[in-house]
Amino acid sequence: MRKIALFIVTLLSVTAMAQTVKSPNGNVSLTFALDNGIPTYQLSYKGKDVVRPSRLGLELAKDKHANKGYNETDLMDGFSVANTQTSTFDETWKPVWGETATIRNHYNELAVDLLQDATKRHITIRFRVYDDGMGLRYEFPQQQELNYFLIKDEHTEFAMAGDHIAWWLPGDYDTQEQETQQTRLSEIRERMGQAVNWGNSSVAVFSETGVQTSLQMKSDDGLYINIHEAACVDYATMHLELVDAQTKHLSQKLGGGSNDYTPNPKPSPYPLPAPLTFVSHLTPDATGLKGAMQTPCQTPWRTVIVSDDARDMLSSNLILNLNEPCKIEDTSWIHPVKYCGVWWEMIVGKSSWNYTNDLPSIKLDLIDWSKMTPNGRHAANNEKVKRYIDFAAANNLDEVLVEGWNVGWEDWANMWKRDVFDFVTPYPDFDIKMLNDYAHSKGVKLLMHHETSSSTQNYERHMEAAYNLMNKYGYDAVKSGYVGDIIPRGDHHYSQSMNNHYLYCIQEAAKHHVMVNAHEAVRPTGLCRTWPNLVGNESARGTEYEAFGGSRPDHTVILPFTRLQGGPMDYTPGILETQLSTWSDNPNYVHTTLVGQLALYVTMYSPLQMAADLPENYAKFDDAFQFIRDVAVDWDDSKYLEAEPADYITVARKAKGTDNWFVGGKCDENGRKVNLRLDFLDKGRKYECTIYADAKDAHYKDNPKAYTITHKTVKKGDVLKLTEAPGGGFAISLIAK
Amino acid sequence: MRKIALFIVTLLSVTAMAQTVKSPNGNVSLTFALDNGIPTYQLSYKGKDVVRPSRLGLELAKDKHANKGYNETDLMDGFSVANTQTSTFDETWKPVWGETATIRNHYNELAVDLLQDATKRHITIRFRVYDDGMGLRYEFPQQQELNYFLIKDEHTEFAMAGDHIAWWLPGDYDTQEQETQQTRLSEIRERMGQAVNWGNSSVAVFSETGVQTSLQMKSDDGLYINIHEAACVDYATMHLELVDAQTKHLSQKLGGGSNDYTPNPKPSPYPLPAPLTFVSHLTPDATGLKGAMQTPCQTPWRTVIVSDDARDMLSSNLILNLNEPCKIEDTSWIHPVKYCGVWWEMIVGKSSWNYTNDLPSIKLDLIDWSKMTPNGRHAANNEKVKRYIDFAAANNLDEVLVEGWNVGWEDWANMWKRDVFDFVTPYPDFDIKMLNDYAHSKGVKLLMHHETSSSTQNYERHMEAAYNLMNKYGYDAVKSGYVGDIIPRGDHHYSQSMNNHYLYCIQEAAKHHVMVNAHEAVRPTGLCRTWPNLVGNESARGTEYEAFGGSRPDHTVILPFTRLQGGPMDYTPGILETQLSTWSDNPNYVHTTLVGQLALYVTMYSPLQMAADLPENYAKFDDAFQFIRDVAVDWDDSKYLEAEPADYITVARKAKGTDNWFVGGKCDENGRKVNLRLDFLDKGRKYECTIYADAKDAHYKDNPKAYTITHKTVKKGDVLKLTEAPGGGFAISLIAK
């Protein structure tokens, strides 16, 4: 009954006030309409519903200073259209690094200027319609009646047209490292309990139907739909709350951080949308509110990528295109990095980040490190790091990450310790000058590590000194980390203030010509276009989980559809010794074959790629390791040849500034056969082809390290018949002759 | 019935486990006892009860990481005495600046090591007993069973022995600028409603019987009792909640900043103390908790100053003595400062801090200041500042404060603007280089101003650059400000994190040889002993309120008993033109006589004293202004000659490194006659005496600017007969011949 009523109302209002914009090729069509003063939009692809009529708006919080210029009337309804503008944009730009040498940014735009008559306030809703989707955002021009406001929540709706299959993570204010769930939308609520791994150090779920973006879906009529956001700057990260048949009201975190501010403890007064509608849910601050805004300002773009071909989801540049152009003038110091590091042996548990076990807890200013008893397990020592430098120099690796080099690891995350690290004091067995000098003499750089332990105030206080130290010793990249609860207490990893912090770090790093690879930071939203020194993020379940119990074999054929939409991931592949018990007490194993690990260097695009295993393990598989030595990390072109979420991905990439290609194929737990047609090669040219393939009886569980290496000469049009083992894949290098 | 029971139990336990320590002269006696496993203490002065048996302890919060080493068992009871130690300390030290050239620190100490048997945890309660009171603190040694803990609240009790008269401010997490109330303890609840000025920008009161420290009281049997704290470092500021006949349970702010932490929403499970007992109440963080601690650590000292002579309350050095010795090695750059400034005319409303009225709000990075229209009211302009420099040079003033010199004042406090000031960019009409050069050429310095608008993250991000700018141009002191709500949202002015911030600023300033005068920061607790570059604080209702409606005439004869216990106040006296309407549209008047303003330079001790009025107003009263020219701001000795809280104070001080004395007398609204016996002068020496006195018919309201100036020669033992007008006082200079 309700659905029918809504439909009629919408039809009427569309007739009265609707405006439609189509994408350049006409496949994507967006219609804006005012529905009794409420802004709404709908989206279709080749005539099929992608987003059914959905409302737009923001609920504002009443502030104690309301009488001093704050507005508390919601920006939800009572609007009329003051003006609309349409325009077309077509530009091709060159990323500093990327999957292709150039990127075309081509869209049709509709900007609707809305007037809320009762308050005399204007907002603009801007839509950009691409051939592979759309972005929309709210803009708040500076005006007498709207200068400052507090967001209680954003109510952007995405009404789905069916009970799609979705690949989702539990919506969470503090972690993105859960295993992806695959269910129908209507099954999310039922699955939620088992989807949350409560053992993770920072779980903060907010609803039984709350999920994260980027959210990948597939409809029964064959559409691939992805919802995410672009250019999240000084704004809280968006989650999605699904309204289903059981939903009574939207989740509303009750703030209590300030006893003189009165958050509205009542549920939102606005009617619920129809079931199968997602509603935006922003990450709160310590008081439960979602954002403190000053005009002129805007929200991030809310993006929907859509196609009937799954490969288009992977080649889409929609999110990069919705970000601002590069703001760094001289980018000559930014470069892709292939690296190894003193890391995996700590993750596996064989050695330690900390230096001593003498004390139950430490305070940096009270300790004379020279008097502490070494625990004999500290990995970041001179001897070992020199070995890694030698290894990097011998194997075409640019840098060596060293974790645990600096004092403070004896006790760190989740202790509410503010002054946890100083980022400049090495342990006694790490000679920072000698090791950097040694590395440089071999043409290698060390890669800095800053674990902040999520004590952001402490990190900001030491940041300038930390970057200065890097400049002094010749580091040009830092891996930062945000393990554990955010300090100041009450804040969350994806709040407005934390998003501002992450960007502040990137901007300050840029001043020092430092590249940033931030782990446990917010999931990216394409900001690497604007700040290309953001060369990597973790922000999802990385390879480390293979040492903590494992990730499903389909994990890496989901991530490119979801996590990678916003930017590259430092996934740290390359664990060729997949059975950890062969060299440690860790009973876990990697849920891919050895060859599957090689494939990831191509299928998981990143300008920053780690060879994460130990040198002694690579020595055991030196012929397979050759692929890691050879593979490029920056590209002039990329061709997604096959793709299906959670099933398989095959991609060919052309190495930057060369005529060489690398192809990677990765599949899920089922294995598959591939007829790889080399149509992407240059006509008339011959290539020396090396194929790293799973052996016939390979299997990620029982026989992961069975592989074959085949050399042949190939040309355009040739077909390679390949078999991917369960949890396996293949990797191919094609060197132009 | 209850009282009797408590008495018996106490008697028994005292018999069993009590230990008493007396002060060096025996007047103050402290007894510690375990009462059924609960630590208690009591205090007496010359045999009279000061603090009746009172419990000690801390209630801890359960943390979500309890299983990772956090303890949640309260530190309230179940203790046995593991060890006790007594000792004596006697040392004389020299402050970098102060009321006397040397300070004696003489106490007897009792340290009780307590073992909580069930948890195997040790804490130490340390008492220091002085001739004028005592301090006690909790110490938490590092130990396997107690490494990290979260404080739900501290339950330090102060059971008063009678229904004393108290001079109190409403307990508040964010302001100390209310007018002092004078009531019996039992009348606090009834008075609270009218005691809170809700118009203040940051009111956060927590209980109808909550008051601030330092709390001054007077008992019916003639004891003066003051409760405060010393050395508040990395800990929340203490308030006091009075348990009275109506109290049902102690106030407990419910945190809600994190939805995965579960604060205990139930009232404290511990029994209430008897009526007329104060219980400590700490300032919460954004989640409602009071402190995140790591051993080894300790609380600040909880202090009780007591005497039967009100003058002893003013000459007490107990709080300074309980602080750590100076931590700055080279203090040669720290010096007292007498200054004027571009300030009062903005406070009064005649001119403005901001430069333009062009925009409804501003964003620093979007504005081209050279294109803004000046509003014509901007005071911090080159011409005016030069005039103030000339004035300072001509009148023995060391520095010139200039507020409003830097961009950002168009919109600042209470807008939740993070990036509100950058602290380095002058307005177009303030030539920072020229003005500093000009000042230096005249032997004067400019005094920097940093209004943070309580956006602490923003201030910390810009701090290094801001101090560097000061060093570059030759500033050596900064007045900082914390007007408005704390950013990050949910935090409070007196929380553990903010107290850490204030100290961080002082420490960073010291690295740059910068003296700090922090306004709206936490009330001081004697930290200026340890960090003597903290030359001033506001942290109470300053002279500015005379332009906002006025403060009662007894205000300045209360402050030395309360606010000044913790350290000097930048009260900004010297408003000789007490009637503001004579030169502005402001209808208010200062609630003292003109001479009363002169007296404050002596009665309100501070190494930083402002001549706050306008040069043109001083020109009108040039003969009276001579006292401000002459008066010293640092002292070899101080003699409190007469004192009664809220009634009068008379003090004589010997100027540093000279034989000259200055005497100030200040009274309340009633006026009084003083026979001033010059017993403090050197025997056999003659002094040129200048007496600034209220004229016979002077009155702060109707005839404030009637004064006489008398010159005579005096010697030790002479008696001066003086009359203080209602709201008046006197000021005397005694120059040794």
Side-chain angles (χ1 to χ4, degrees), chain A residues 229-250:
Chain A
E229 59 182 318
C232 184
V233 174
D234 208 6
Y235 199 84
T237 292
M238 179 177 75
H239 302 79
L240 297 173
E241 184 171 20
L242 182 74
V243 172
D244 66 7
Q246 295 176 58
T247 303
K248 298 277 185 300
H249 55 78
L250 296 173

Side-chain angles (χ1 to χ4, degrees), chain B residues 254-310:
Chain B
L254 298 183
S258 165
N259 72 338
D260 46 25
Y261 158 71
T262 307
N264 189 346
K266 290 174 289 189
S268 167
Y270 299 97
L272 277 182
L276 298 185
T277 298
F278 285 109
V279 184
S280 55
H281 177 105
L282 304 179
T283 308
D285 68 18
T287 74
L289 293 184
K290 308 302 180 75
M293 308 290 284
Q294 182 191 350
T295 62
C297 56
Q298 66 276 322
T299 68
W301 295 95
R302 280 64 186 92
T303 61
V304 179
I305 308 176
V306 58
S307 177
D308 51 13
D309 185 335

Side-chain angles (χ1 to χ4, degrees), chain A residues 605-627:
Chain A
Y605 166 67
S606 175
L608 188 81
Q609 290 283 19
M610 187 175 196
D613 212 342
L614 274 55
E616 46 267 44
N617 289 331
Y618 286 130
K620 291 199 283 178
F621 308 103
D622 189 70
D623 55 350
F625 182 57
Q626 187 61 39
F627 183 80

Side-chain angles (χ1 to χ4, degrees), chain A residues 538-565:
Chain A
E538 185 186 45
S539 311
R541 188 179 182 92
T543 295
E544 62 187 3
Y545 278 84
E546 300 287 13
F548 305 158
S551 298
R552 290 199 318 268
D554 65 0
H555 183 54
T556 52
V557 284
I558 296 171
L559 287 177
F561 288 93
T562 55
R563 162 63 185 78
L564 268 54
Q565 291 291 2

Side-chain angles (χ1 to χ4, degrees), chain A residues 430-442:
Chain A
F430 182 89
D431 185 336
I432 188 169
K433 180 172 184 335
M434 179 276 285
L435 289 169
N436 278 281
D437 289 348
Y438 183 76
H440 299 165
S441 76
K442 302 220 159 191

